[in-house]
Amino acid sequence: MTKKIAKALVAKFESVGVEIDEQEIIDEIEAKASDYRIPVKQASIFVEKELISKHGIRQQAFDNGNQGGKCKDALIEDITEADRWVNVTAMVDDLWEVYDDSISQIGILKDKSGRMKFTTWKIADQPEVVPGEMYHFSNIVSKHYDGDIELKITKKSSIRRIEDADTPTEKGTAEFAGTLTDIQYSSGLIERCEDGECSRVLYEGECAVHGDVDGTDDLRIKTVVDNGIEYREVTFGTEATEDIVGMSLNEAASTEEDELSEIIHSALVGEYVELDLVEYDTNSDVKSYEVNPPIDVDRVDPLLIRGRETRYMV
Amino acid sequence: MSQSNASTSKESEFDYSYPIAVPVLDYEIGTIEEDFKPDTGNKYAVRKAVLPTGVYAGRVQYVARVARKRVEKGEYGKRVQITSKDGLYKVYIGANEQYNDCTERLAKIDRESYVSMTANVLVRDTDDGKASYFVPVTAKEVDQRTRNRFLLNAAEQTLDRIEAFQEEDNTPEQDHAKEIYGEDHLSQYANAAVLAIEQADMSLQRNG
């Protein structure tokens, strides 16, 4: 019976974003029942009250969290107090290294109003999110941590990726050159939605619009190119990716993911690239590219003269 | 596709979190004496190194020639220490378990190879004063041409920064650099730029 009560308590606390060890609750209940010679059920009420107090949960929030109350959509800047259950549409701005085995992901969410830290515990069993991508987070809860408010993604939360939320607006074409400093997630072999004209990239086998659908294989490489002054987020499409990895889409589809990833990394990261781009609001597609092109030797002498003059002047 | 106006980072104009990786020559990396967390109310902001040439760098780009390499077994993976020596100054590169993929790649790179890296530069107090630590985030073996191009681009941007520093109205980043490094320090970085260009020039003449 104690185990059953403890299980229910674990679930209740999870619903407000607090992960508690079941055995810890069993031990507490049994100790109280023994010390005060009271029934297990009554002891469990004391334990619940103590845990609510220990984790700084407001009773009302605890009760609301367990009534399955409807969450409201919120902007990050409006989430100023703990224990609020909200829905947030935000971009994953950054992910950090995780040093705690009980945490699945930790990072920063960003919407048009601001940024906020988020934590997903392993026990929540949620899909992993990807930096730079937009998601709709339902039923997530704000918590105090280290003097700040952060968001917790729990078992009760749901995460839906929003791919191409708006039709990207083409801003024109541009040339850009720099060092390719990063390969972003969701590069390599991907699957696209086959539903009608939709070609959104599937995530965990699901289209953001059409749900669980069949997918068509495709190749792409999402990268960051940096010239030391500014950067561009740049996507190499199917043909360019086939060219870079030196294999067709069909061959890539039968290649191990890690192997393909290594080929892409070896071909691009740290290399200087010259690009012709089609630019959109926040990213660009590659029209044509050259990796490590010949150096324009005519630039050397003027640069040397300039360097010597500058050295003399300063 | 020339690069220009390196006096200030444009990072703040962009929405999210990639720190601009500034190409920096060995001499400048080795003389960085201060890093800091920007006081923007965002405690998760990336630490920035104050470059002596008057720019904040969340990350740097560098192409090293591997002079010495030592691989150690750490608690959670490998640690790799590399010394890069390019004529003027040694750079001590310490790859750790935090960026495991990068560290594994560096462990496989042979001496005398060229390796292109983006890295965080962190500053620590030591018994001998401030010391800069070069912590690679990405690494890949590259060829001589990539190395030569890096020398030219990094030298060009170093000269851009020095010239911008000489202008009458200094930016807050330049004022900050002046507080740390003084006002008469720029000639050594101009000298480093000249040496880098000469080195690339010799290599280009030799190898075409």
Side-chain angles (χ1 to χ4, degrees):
Chain A
M1 182 179 178
T2 312
K3 194 170 167 59
K4 197 173 168 185
I5 291 172
K7 219 180 230 339
L9 270 181
V10 167
K12 281 174 88 171
F13 278 91
E14 266 177 19
S15 73
V16 290
V18 176
E19 319 284 337
I20 294 175
D21 181 55
E22 187 179 311
Q23 191 56 48
E24 186 187 323
I25 294 180
I26 292 171
D27 293 346
E28 280 292 321
I29 291 172
E30 287 179 346
K32 281 211 163 29
S34 165
D35 290 350
Y36 304 123
R37 296 181 185 176
I38 54 175
V40 165
K41 193 148 191 186
Q42 197 174 343
S44 74
I45 293 168
F46 288 133
V47 171
E48 182 183 302
K49 295 282 181 204
E50 279 181 8
L51 288 170
I52 287 171
S53 167
K54 180 182 168 187
H55 290 281
I57 305 164
R58 287 178 301 128
Q59 186 70 49
Q60 191 186 354
F62 187 74
D63 294 337
N64 286 345
N66 285 286
Q67 285 166 3
K70 193 170 165 64
C71 286
K72 287 187 176 171
D73 293 341
L75 289 173
I76 282 174
E77 71 173 356
D78 295 331
I79 306 170
T80 54
E81 56 184 31
D83 304 323
R84 271 191 65 192
W85 285 82
V86 291
N87 305 321
V88 169
T89 300
M91 174 182 287
V92 178
D93 194 28
D94 200 3
L95 282 182
W96 303 334
E97 295 286 327
V98 174
Y99 293 104
D100 185 333
D101 286 345
S102 59
I103 292 174
S104 162
Q105 285 189 301
I106 188 164
I108 298 287
L109 297 182
K110 176 189 167 83
D111 69 8
K112 63 185 178 187
S113 72
R115 289 154 53 97
M116 190 169 275
K117 183 185 165 197
F118 78 96
T119 303
T120 309
W121 297 86
K122 278 211 173 121
I123 199 170
D125 195 24
Q126 293 286 355
E128 292 196 340
V129 295
V130 175
E133 300 290 350
M134 290 282 291
Y135 296 88
H136 185 69
F137 299 87
S138 306
N139 232 20
I140 61 178
V141 63
S142 58
K143 285 283 157 197
H144 273 301
Y145 182 76
D146 201 14
D148 284 326
I149 297 287
E150 67 170 52
L151 293 166
K152 287 205 170 183
I153 296 165
T154 75
K155 259 184 186 169
K156 287 200 166 184
S157 309
S158 66
I159 303 173
R160 179 170 58 83
R161 189 181 187 206
I162 303 170
E163 178 98 15
D164 306 328
D166 300 301
T167 307
T169 311
E170 189 175 319
K171 287 167 61 184
T173 58
E175 290 181 345
F176 192 75
T179 302
L180 198 147
T181 56
D182 195 15
I183 306 283
Q184 295 179 301
Y185 290 84
S186 138
S187 290
L189 189 70
I190 54 170
E191 278 191 303
R192 293 190 182 277
C193 178
E194 287 183 345
D195 196 313
E197 295 293 304
C198 181
S199 60
R200 288 176 174 81
V201 176
L202 304 187
Y203 185 68
E204 305 268 319
E206 288 201 2
C207 170
V209 174
H210 301 103
D212 195 359
V213 292
D214 288 333
T216 308
D217 285 340
D218 195 8
L219 281 172
R220 73 171 177 187
I221 309 173
K222 292 178 76 176
T223 68
V224 178
V225 178
D226 183 335
N227 67 11
I229 300 162
E230 57 185 327
Y231 71 87
R232 295 278 190 281
E233 291 186 74
V234 164
T235 303
F236 292 81
T238 316
E239 282 181 25
T241 305
E242 284 180 325
D243 186 35
I244 288 162
V245 299
M247 61 178 87
S248 68
L249 173 58
N250 286 340
E251 288 167 330
S254 57
T255 303
E256 289 290 328
E257 190 180 333
D258 285 353
E259 190 186 337
L260 189 59
S261 171
E262 185 56 35
I263 291 168
I264 291 170
H265 187 285
S266 299
L268 292 177
V269 174
E271 294 288 0
Y272 184 85
V273 291
E274 287 185 353
L275 307 166
D276 287 318
L277 300 171
V278 178
E279 292 196 304
Y280 301 101
D281 288 333
T282 58
N283 60 352
S284 306
D285 285 344
V286 174
K287 268 187 0 183
S288 64
Y289 71 97
E290 192 164 4
V291 178
N292 195 12
I295 293 173
D296 174 13
V297 291
D298 290 342
R299 69 183 282 211
V300 177
D301 284 345
L303 190 58
L304 195 52
I305 291 165
R306 181 184 161 203
R308 286 171 178 157
E309 282 175 358
T310 305
R311 182 172 61 180
Y312 177 72
M313 296 294 286
V314 296
Chain B
M1 297 193 188
S2 67
Q3 297 166 358
S4 59
N5 186 22
S7 60
T8 56
S9 158
K10 289 188 181 174
E11 194 172 342
S12 58
E13 293 175 18
F14 287 84
D15 275 337
Y16 34 92
S17 66
Y18 287 99
I20 302 292
V22 181
V24 183
L25 294 167
D26 52 1
Y27 183 74
E28 188 161 13
I29 291 171
T31 52
I32 293 169
E33 287 184 14
E34 181 150 315
D35 68 347
F36 71 103
K37 184 160 277 198
D39 185 17
T40 59
N42 171 17
K43 68 178 186 176
Y44 310 115
V46 174
R47 288 194 80 80
K48 299 199 174 201
V50 182
L51 298 189
T53 49
V55 170
Y56 294 155
R59 284 204 177 147
V60 298
Q61 292 178 36
Y62 179 58
V63 178
R65 185 175 64 82
V66 179
R68 291 178 59 197
K69 185 182 79 172
R70 195 168 76 185
V71 181
E72 294 172 350
K73 196 172 181 314
E75 196 176 345
Y76 302 105
K78 285 182 182 140
R79 290 178 194 158
V80 181
Q81 292 182 328
I82 285 175
T83 308
S84 167
K85 191 166 188 313
D86 301 317
L88 194 65
Y89 210 89
K90 284 181 184 171
V91 174
Y92 298 99
I93 297 157
N96 59 37
E97 299 104 312
Q98 189 178 357
Y99 300 103
N100 209 24
D101 283 356
C102 169
T103 306
E104 288 286 342
R105 285 177 211 285
L106 281 170
K108 291 176 190 159
I109 289 173
D110 295 326
R111 280 182 57 199
E112 303 303 321
S113 301
Y114 296 114
V115 54
S116 171
M117 290 175 281
T118 57
N120 300 321
V121 178
L122 306 174
V123 178
R124 296 283 178 267
D125 287 316
T126 70
D127 292 343
D128 301 323
K130 303 266 190 186
S132 64
Y133 287 80
F134 186 93
V135 184
V137 176
T138 67
K140 178 183 169 286
E141 187 172 342
V142 291
D143 62 11
Q144 175 94 48
R145 183 192 283 174
T146 302
R147 155 80 175 170
N148 287 337
R149 191 192 327 270
F150 164 78
L151 290 175
L152 295 173
N153 289 349
E156 185 173 32
Q157 290 202 20
T158 302
L159 294 173
D160 288 345
R161 296 196 294 270
I162 291 169
E163 285 164 11
F165 213 135
Q166 297 292 99
E167 287 169 13
E168 218 162 85
D169 295 325
N170 279 352
T171 65
E173 300 181 13
Q174 290 161 342
D175 284 337
H176 192 175
K178 220 178 253 184
E179 279 172 31
I180 300 161
Y181 306 102
E183 302 207 21
D184 303 320
H185 65 295
L186 291 173
S187 63
Q188 48 199 316
Y189 302 102
N191 191 47
V194 169
L195 290 176
I197 299 162
E198 287 172 346
Q199 201 175 78
D201 189 25
M202 274 192 292
S203 169
L204 286 165
Q205 285 180 27
R206 206 168 43 235
N207 303 314

